[in-house]
C-alpha cells in the first residue's frame, strides 16, 4: 500500500516538473507532509524534505536529459546560476539538519507565497536578448539555493518566476534552463540530506521510479502546450500549496 501511495505522489510531482520546468518540490513537499498521515504513515517535516530532495534529484535528472537537445538552452543562464545554486543548496540542506524542524515549514511557506506574488507580476519578456548579467544570476541563484535547500527543493519553482519577472527571459527559455539549474541544485541538497540521515530510502524508492518515468512525459506534453496555459498551471499549483501550508502553520 505504502509503495503504491508514494509512487502515485512521485508520478504527479515528476509529471509537473517536466511540464512546467520545476523540480516538483512545490507540490511534492506538502503532498508528502499531509497525504501519508491519512494512511497512518508517520511523516515529519524533516522526512518529507528528505524524500522531496530524493524525488527532485531524479525527476530533474530525467527532465534535464530530455532537454539536452532543446534549442532554448542558454549557457549564459545555466553556468552562473548552477554555480550559485549548488553552493547555496548545500548550505541550506546543512542548516535544515541543525535547526528545529519548524523552520522547514516556515521557509517553504515563505518561498511559495513569494513565488505566487512574482507570478502575478506582468512583464514583457525580451525575446531578442540572449545574454544576461552573470553576477546577478549567480547572487540570485545562491540565495535561492540556500532557501530551497532547507526544504529539499531544487528551487526551480522560484527560479521560474524570477527569471520571468526580473530578467525578462522568454517562458520557453525559462522552462528549458530552469530544470537544468534545478538538477544542479538538487545534487547538493540530496546528497547533503542523505549524508545527514534525512532520506528514508524505503519510501524514496517508489518516488524515484515514478520520477524517472513521468518527468519525460511531462516534458513532451510541455512542448505541445500553450505557454499561457503552462503559466496558469504553475501559478495555480503554487497557490494551492501555499494556502495549505499557511493553514497548517496557523
Amino acid at each position: 500500500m505504502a509503495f503504491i501511495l508514494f509512487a502515485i505522489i512521485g508520478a504527479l510531482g515528476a509529471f509537473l516538473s517536466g511540464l512546467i520546468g520545476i523540480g516538483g518540490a512545490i507540490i511534492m513537499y506538502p503532498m508528502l507532509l499531509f497525504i501519508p498521515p491519512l494512511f497512518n504513515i508517520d511523516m515529519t517535516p524533516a522526512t518529507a524534505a528528505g524524500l522531496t530532495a530524493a524525488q527532485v534529484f531524479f525527476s530533474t535528472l530525467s527532465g534535464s536529459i530530455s532537454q539536452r537537445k532543446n534549442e532554448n538552452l542558454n549557457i549564459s543562464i545555466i553556468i552562473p546560476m548552477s554555480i550559485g545554486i549548488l553552493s547555496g543548496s548545500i548550505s541550506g540542506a546543512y542548516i535544515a539538519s541543525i535547526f528545529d524542524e519548524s523552520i522547514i515549514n516556515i521557509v517553504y511557506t515563505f518561498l511559495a507565497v513569494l513565488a505566487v506574488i512574482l507570478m502575478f507580476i506582468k512583464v514583457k519578456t525580451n525575446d531578442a536578448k540572449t545574454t544576461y548579467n552573470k553576477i546577478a544570476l549567480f547572487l540570485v541563484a545562491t540565495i535561492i539555493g540556500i532557501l530551497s535547500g532547507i526544504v529539499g527543493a531544487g528551487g526551480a519553482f522560484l527560479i521560474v518566476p524570477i527569471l520571468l519577472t526580473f530578467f525578462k527571459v522568454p517562458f520557453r527559455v525559462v522552462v528549458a534552463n530552469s530544470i537544468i539549474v534545478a538538477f544542479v541544485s538538487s545534487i547538493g541538497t540530496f546528497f547533503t540530506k542523505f549524508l545527514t540521515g534525512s532520506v528514508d530510502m524505503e519510501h524514496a524508492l517508489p518516488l524515484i521510479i515514478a520520477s524517472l518515468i513521468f518527468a519525460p512525459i511531462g516534458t513532451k506534453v510541455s512542448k505541445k502546450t500553450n505557454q499561457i496555459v503552462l503559466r496558469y498551471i504553475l501559478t495555480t499549483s503554487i497557490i494551492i500549496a501555499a494556502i495549505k501550508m499557511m493553514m497548517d502553520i496557523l
Side-chain angles (χ1 to χ4, degrees):
M1 178 64 185
F3 188 94
I4 296 176
L5 175 64
F6 282 95
I8 292 174
I9 294 174
L12 178 58
F15 178 78
L16 287 174
S17 76
L19 181 67
I20 50 186
I22 63 175
I26 189 66
I27 299 299
M28 187 61 56
Y29 179 73
M31 287 177 65
L32 286 169
L33 195 60
F34 298 117
I35 294 179
L38 297 177
F39 296 87
N40 297 317
I41 299 175
D42 293 333
M43 187 62 58
T44 66
T47 302
L51 290 173
T52 299
Q55 187 276 336
V56 169
F57 174 78
F58 285 96
S59 67
T60 53
L61 169 61
S62 181
S64 296
I65 292 174
S66 66
Q67 292 280 11
R68 66 187 183 280
K69 296 182 180 180
N70 194 320
E71 60 183 11
N72 290 313
L73 292 179
N74 189 317
I75 297 300
S76 69
I77 294 176
I78 294 175
I79 292 180
M81 292 203 80
S82 294
I83 295 173
I85 207 164
L86 178 59
S87 58
S89 65
I90 293 174
S91 300
Y94 178 72
I95 290 172
S97 69
I98 61 177
F99 283 95
D100 187 89
E101 288 187 346
S102 61
I103 190 178
I104 300 176
N105 286 350
I106 294 173
V107 171
Y108 174 89
T109 304
F110 167 75
L111 292 177
V113 171
L114 178 59
V116 168
I117 293 174
L118 292 175
M119 288 302 294
F120 277 106
I121 298 177
K122 293 183 178 180
V123 295
K124 184 177 181 181
T125 58
N126 189 343
D127 295 332
K129 190 174 182 180
T130 58
T131 59
Y132 304 90
N133 188 311
K134 295 180 176 60
I135 295 177
L137 287 170
F138 170 79
L139 293 175
V140 168
T142 300
I143 296 173
I144 293 175
I146 293 172
L147 296 174
S148 61
I150 292 175
V151 296
F157 68 93
L158 199 54
I159 294 171
V160 170
I162 284 179
L163 286 178
L164 288 171
T165 305
F166 294 106
F167 294 92
K168 298 183 179 181
V169 181
F171 192 79
R172 290 289 184 189
V173 177
V174 171
V175 172
N177 291 274
S178 64
I179 197 71
I180 305 293
V181 176
F183 167 63
V184 175
S185 173
S186 71
I187 295 173
T189 302
F190 173 61
F191 284 103
T192 301
K193 287 189 177 296
F194 180 80
L195 293 174
T196 56
S198 299
V199 180
D200 180 353
M201 292 307 298
E202 179 183 354
H203 292 146
L205 183 59
L207 291 177
I208 293 170
I209 294 174
S211 297
L212 294 174
I213 296 173
F214 284 88
I217 296 176
T219 301
K220 291 181 179 180
V221 175
S222 174
K223 294 177 181 178
K224 300 178 181 180
T225 306
N226 185 279
Q227 294 185 34
I228 296 177
V229 173
L230 293 178
R231 187 159 183 164
Y232 277 124
I233 291 174
L234 176 58
T235 304
T236 301
S237 299
I238 295 175
I239 290 175
I240 293 174
I243 291 176
K244 178 59 179 175
M245 292 301 299
M246 284 190 290
M247 290 175 61
D248 184 66
I249 291 176
L250 298 175

